[in-house]
Structure formats: structure tokens, C-alpha cells
Amino acid sequence: MFYEFNWSSIVPSWPFLVDGLIITAKITLTAIAVGIVWGTILAMMRLSRFKLVSWFAALYVNIFRSVPLVMVLLWFYLIVPNLLQNVLGISPKSDIRLISAMIAFSLFEAAYYSEIIRAGIMSIARGQSSAALALGMTRMQSMRLVILPQAFRAMVPLLLTQGIVLFQDSSLVYVLSLTDFFRMATNIGDRDGTQVEMVLFAGFVYFIISFSASMLVNYLKKRTVS
């Protein structure tokens, strides 16, 4: 006996699915932006001549790259509310689960972005930095005005690829009972008895978005090579 698919829940539930997709987008875009900024700082710290600074950055990266993302999400879900309410005396008006997820993803992804950025910086010829110093620039100016612009141009495809992985991993916020796109789809499926259809539909949406982003990455790779 064949399974009869029932796709009737998708159209009426589309506004709720869009709300879930917005939460997923908020987490993804926030983590990408903060992760790249903090990851750039970490990368420069790892390349620092000061051993203590370099050691701290290396320890940070190794810790976050050695711990499962789900565990990091749970850690920050327990830490952030106490930090905001008991230490800082702030009662957040936003969903504390969303704030915790954004912080956890941002700090976690920064460890991966830092390694990509560090590799990009190290790929730039030392002569570039020497030439900048010879022109009277400081080391920080040389990094900001000469090295990083060239490194980021070459790193854009890798940074976007990591962003795609981040988008896919965002579904792990189910452990916080946060209603992102995937959880919203499964909740609707449980409500209407269309679990199979809603999971397949959610997977299809994730595929379309990820595949489109991958095509953009391939295009940028060709532009970078040329």
C-alpha cells in the first residue's frame, strides 16, 4: 500500500513558516557578521608577536573547535540569562533563547572563520607587508590597508561556504525549543498529521537556499581565479 502524500498544510501555514525562516535568517546573518569580525581579530591575535595574545587566541579556537555545537548552544542558554539578569541586572524583552543562540553561534563560528582568515593572511606574500612598512605605514596600517583587503578578496568563497554550513547547522536550535524554520515545519506537521510532508518540504527549502548559495560561491571562485 502506497503512502498518500498530503501537501495541503503548506499554503495555509506559509505565514508561520516565513516567521520561522526569519528567525533562522537572524541567527545565520548575525553569526556570519559577528563571526567574521571576531574571527578576524582572533586571526590577527594568533599571528601576534606577543606570546600571551597568540596563546589566548589559539586556546579559544581549539576549545570551540573541539566541542560539539549542540553543547555550546546549551552552555550559552544556561549562561546568558544568568549573566544578563543576575550580573548586569538586565531583563531582556526579546526571547532569551534567540539571544543565546545568536551569541553561541557567533562565538562558535568565529573559531572557524579565524582559521580561514589566518590562512588567507598567511597566503599574502611577505613582500607586501615589507613594502607597506617601507612606505612608512605601521604594522596595523599595513594589515588593515594592504594585507586584509587582498586576503579577503581571496577568502570570500571560503567565508560564504562556511556561511552555508552555518545556515544548515542553525536547525540545531531545536535543543533550545526555539521555533526556527525547521522546528516550525515539524510543529505544523505534528499538528496536522503531515510530519513526512513538512519534513520533506523543509529539506527542500534548505536545499534550494544552500544550492543557490553554492552556485554563488562557484561564480565568485571563477571571478577570483580570473
Side-chain angles (χ1 to χ4, degrees), residues 116-171:
I116 296 173
I117 295 168
R118 184 169 70 99
I121 293 174
M122 294 178 67
S123 69
I124 304 301
R126 288 184 177 271
Q128 297 284 336
S129 179
S130 299
L133 295 175
L135 291 174
M137 293 185 183
T138 64
R139 290 186 179 276
M140 185 58 67
Q141 288 175 328
S142 171
M143 179 65 70
R144 180 169 58 88
L145 300 175
V146 178
I147 305 301
L148 284 178
Q150 296 182 67
F152 269 104
R153 183 176 182 274
M155 290 184 299
V156 166
L158 290 176
L159 295 175
L160 287 177
T161 299
Q162 185 62 32
I164 296 171
V165 175
L166 166 59
F167 168 70
Q168 296 168 345
D169 288 344
S170 65
S171 60

